[in-house]
Amino acid sequence: MLDLSECGLNNLNENIFENLSQLETLYLNVNAFTSIPIAIHFLPNLKILMLGINDFRTLKKNSFESNVQLERLSFVGCQKLQTIEDCAFCHLPNLKSARFYFNPILSYIHENAFGAISDGNVPEIKEFNIEYCNISVLPENLFDWKKVEKLQIGHNPFACNCSMAWLFNDLLSNNSIFEEKLGSSSIMFYNHKYNLGCLGTQKWSANRTDSKAITEMFAVCNTTSTSNHFFCIIIAFIGVILAAFGIYANRIILTEMSRM
């Protein structure tokens, strides 16, 4: 284990860890890094990496591609962090914990940030924490949410529309999968479902919407989705018919022309 927290670091020589290939835990909290240090690529056995309270603005593609043993990643309190890009955490099959607690301007997480769409070897995240961020849409395809054991997502301005229907429909059902997984990092607040977005009670949300109205609103999402899917199939079928007719007509024209 190596602790380089509170050292005023904003850069590291890329070869600084060259002789520490067996290092498993690295603390780089409370420094001034604006990007992930290239030096960590020399730590193939790294399991725990703490990068809280740094100056990252975005986490870019394949930032940890050489750290395939990573199990825990923490970016707590990164006040300037805004976006997590496509494949930022790809190729990390052992990752179990991802913490982004108290990043107040973090507003975007790409749906393929963990490689769920492109990688084919998606980590089974057990702990996911984005409390006190600025997330309005939490991608349904980010990873397999059913395998998450500890879900800390409170105090975000979640959108009350179809983009979040996958979560809210579940929380409002009688056999919710996610409700028992909700938790909180804060001693003062329990991350109950009625503390999330428009599900908030009057105590937590001045714009609270009646749960029955919310259920009806999200129910339309499924109907709309199904209708759109059916509509696309019909359009595709008509396109195939028209294309076939066009080919047939062209063949007749070409045949007639060849006889002239």
Side-chain angles (χ1 to χ4, degrees):
M1 188 271 281
L2 177 62
D3 190 345
L4 294 175
S5 299
E6 300 185 67
C7 291
L9 300 170
N10 58 25
N11 193 20
L12 290 174
N13 185 302
E14 64 180 72
N15 299 315
I16 196 170
F17 300 135
E18 191 171 7
N19 296 316
L20 296 176
S21 62
Q22 298 305 310
L23 188 69
E24 294 185 355
T25 301
L26 177 61
Y27 289 87
L28 293 174
N29 295 318
V30 199
N31 281 296
F33 293 108
T34 58
S35 61
I36 305 300
I38 296 175
I40 69 166
H41 295 325
F42 288 94
L43 300 172
N45 291 297
L46 194 63
K47 294 182 179 180
I48 299 173
L49 179 58
M50 301 295 182
L51 289 160
I53 313 181
N54 274 286
D55 294 333
F56 308 113
R57 294 183 182 276
T58 183
L59 300 179
K60 298 183 177 181
K61 186 174 183 178
N62 295 331
S63 296
F64 308 95
E65 60 182 343
S66 299
N67 308 107
V68 296
Q69 301 300 325
L70 269 175
E71 297 177 2
R72 293 175 58 194
L73 265 173
S74 177
F75 291 89
V76 172
C78 294
Q79 301 286 299
K80 298 180 181 180
L81 183 61
Q82 300 178 38
T83 61
I84 298 175
E85 295 184 356
D86 179 16
C87 224
F89 309 114
C90 280
H91 317 301
L92 298 177
N94 300 300
L95 192 63
K96 298 293 186 292
S97 174
R99 303 182 72 238
F100 304 94
Y101 174 78
F102 199 60
N103 295 322
I105 62 173
L106 175 60
S107 60
Y108 176 73
I109 303 176
H110 193 282
E111 65 176 349
N112 191 47
F114 291 85
I117 298 172
S118 66
D119 199 347
N121 190 16
V122 187
E124 293 187 7
I125 301 295
K126 301 298 183 184
E127 178 189 9
F128 185 70
N129 189 330
I130 55 163
E131 281 191 282
Y132 293 95
C133 291
N134 194 33
I135 302 292
S136 59
V137 175
L138 197 54
E140 182 177 4
N141 297 322
L142 194 62
F143 39 73
D144 189 346
W145 292 101
K146 294 179 181 179
K147 294 181 179 179
V148 178
E149 297 174 357
K150 193 173 183 180
L151 188 59
Q152 299 170 315
I153 56 175
H155 305 278
N156 280 280
F158 290 124
C160 288
N161 56 38
C162 290
S163 61
M164 291 297 295
W166 68 272
L167 177 62
F168 288 150
N169 270 337
D170 173 85
L171 292 175
L172 290 169
S173 69
N174 293 326
N175 55 347
S176 174
I177 296 172
F178 301 116
E179 183 173 2
E180 64 179 15
K181 301 175 184 291
L182 296 177
S184 178
S185 298
S186 173
I187 298 175
M188 295 177 62
F189 299 103
Y190 176 67
N191 196 0
H192 191 272
K193 67 179 180 180
Y194 288 114
N195 189 19
L196 297 177
C198 55
L199 298 187
T201 61
Q202 194 64 42
K203 181 178 180 180
W204 304 111
S205 172
N207 299 317
R208 186 220 175 194
T209 303
D210 181 78
S211 58
K212 182 180 178 182
I214 294 172
T215 302
E216 292 174 353
M217 177 177 68
F218 288 129
V220 177
C221 296
N222 294 332
T223 304
T224 303
S225 176
T226 303
S227 300
N228 288 341
H229 184 62
F230 180 73
F231 180 73
C232 289
I233 292 174
I234 294 297
I235 293 297
F237 180 73
I238 293 173
V240 170
I241 295 296
L242 291 175
F245 179 77
I247 293 171
Y248 178 73
N250 285 335
R251 286 184 64 182
I252 293 176
I253 294 172
L254 290 173
T255 300
E256 292 298 323
M257 290 180 66
S258 66
R259 291 174 181 173
M260 295 175 62

